Amino acid sequence: EILMARVRKVKPTKRTMEQGVTNELDALPGLYDSGIQWMASGTLEWLKRMFYSSESDAKSDDVYRTIIDEAADVESTNVRIDPSFNTCTGVISGIGLNTSRGEIYRAALEALSVKAKNSISILEQIGGFKATSLIVGGGATRNKLWNQLRANALGIPLKLHKETETTVIGAAVFALVATGVYQSVDEAMEAIAPEYDMIYPE
């Protein structure tokens, strides 16, 4: 997952660098893009391979529907996950003889939601802002359970971009400005008028 905030000032420290925060110059003068990233989809793909291999021959959408439905049916679980699998320090604990794969997947979604909350807190400190919503783009917009859990953990609404190819849209915006179709990035963004589905904390 890549979490980014567009800010007018940054306060980088040695600590934030150790936490993996990056600060880039925005395409517009006077703005910065502070970001932090961590393994999210890789963790969920690993869980899919480990626990849903028998369904992997089915259509991709069907597999994910099964996974998400099973996780959504879980009311409570003792399973806890540290999703730091990319650094070989990941941990799955609280497993019993009756633990289901749906519990494990849900625990991963909950852990990644907490990770998002912690990461937003770091960016808020660096950029001197308070997040009031989070825009979600890409394939993660299709996982409604994950987005609901993230909204619950963050305590703010999520705006799910209806167009999954947001990187292409961003490139198109700047191309339209560069070729003179629009006079500014803001004008181009207003013309494109992105649409969102809203997820509110429960």
Side-chain angles (χ1 to χ4, degrees):
E1 244 183 331
I2 302 174
L3 180 67
M4 299 197 83
R6 199 177 198 196
V7 296
R8 296 195 177 278
K9 60 180 180 178
V10 291
K11 299 176 183 177
T13 65
K14 181 180 179 182
R15 173 64 176 152
T16 59
M17 292 178 66
E18 291 171 346
Q19 291 171 315
V21 176
T22 59
N23 294 293
E24 305 170 7
L25 293 174
D26 191 84
L28 297 181
L31 295 175
Y32 303 89
D33 301 320
S34 292
I36 186 168
Q37 55 186 308
W38 60 93
M39 186 68 70
S41 61
T43 299
L44 299 179
E45 287 298 311
W46 179 82
L47 289 170
K48 185 184 81 166
R49 291 195 307 272
M50 290 298 293
F51 298 105
Y52 293 86
S53 59
S54 61
E55 288 88 349
S56 294
D57 292 335
K59 291 182 179 179
S60 179
D61 288 346
D62 293 338
V63 173
Y64 285 109
R65 191 175 297 111
T66 297
I67 295 172
I68 294 168
D69 285 349
E70 288 186 9
D73 286 341
V74 175
E75 294 183 2
S76 65
T77 179
N78 292 321
V79 179
R80 297 292 179 266
I81 290 182
D82 176 346
S84 306
F85 294 170
N86 59 315
T87 57
C88 297
T89 56
V91 176
I92 303 176
S93 63
I95 294 177
L97 294 175
N98 295 317
T99 299
S100 69
R101 59 186 187 176
E103 288 181 72
I104 296 171
Y105 190 83
R106 186 185 181 99
L109 295 181
E110 291 174 349
L112 291 170
S113 299
V114 171
K115 177 65 176 175
K117 179 181 180 180
N118 295 339
S119 297
I120 283 184
S121 178
I122 293 169
L123 292 186
E124 287 176 332
Q125 293 172 23
I126 295 170
F129 69 94
K130 183 65 178 175
T132 56
S133 65
L134 177 68
I135 298 173
V136 180
T141 58
R142 296 192 293 268
N143 192 327
K144 290 188 177 182
L145 174 60
W146 187 11
N147 287 308
Q148 186 62 66
L149 292 173
R150 280 195 283 199
N152 295 348
L154 297 172
I156 57 176
L158 268 57
K159 300 167 70 174
L160 310 183
H161 208 298
K162 288 189 176 182
E163 174 54 63
T164 57
E165 297 297 337
T166 50
T167 302
V168 176
I169 291 176
V173 164
F174 284 95
L176 291 167
V177 174
T179 54
V181 176
Y182 296 106
Q183 299 304 306
S184 70
V185 171
D186 288 340
E187 183 184 349
M189 286 297 294
E190 288 178 10
I192 290 176
E195 297 182 352
Y196 302 100
D197 290 320
M198 300 297 296
I199 301 288
Y200 296 93
E202 292 180 336

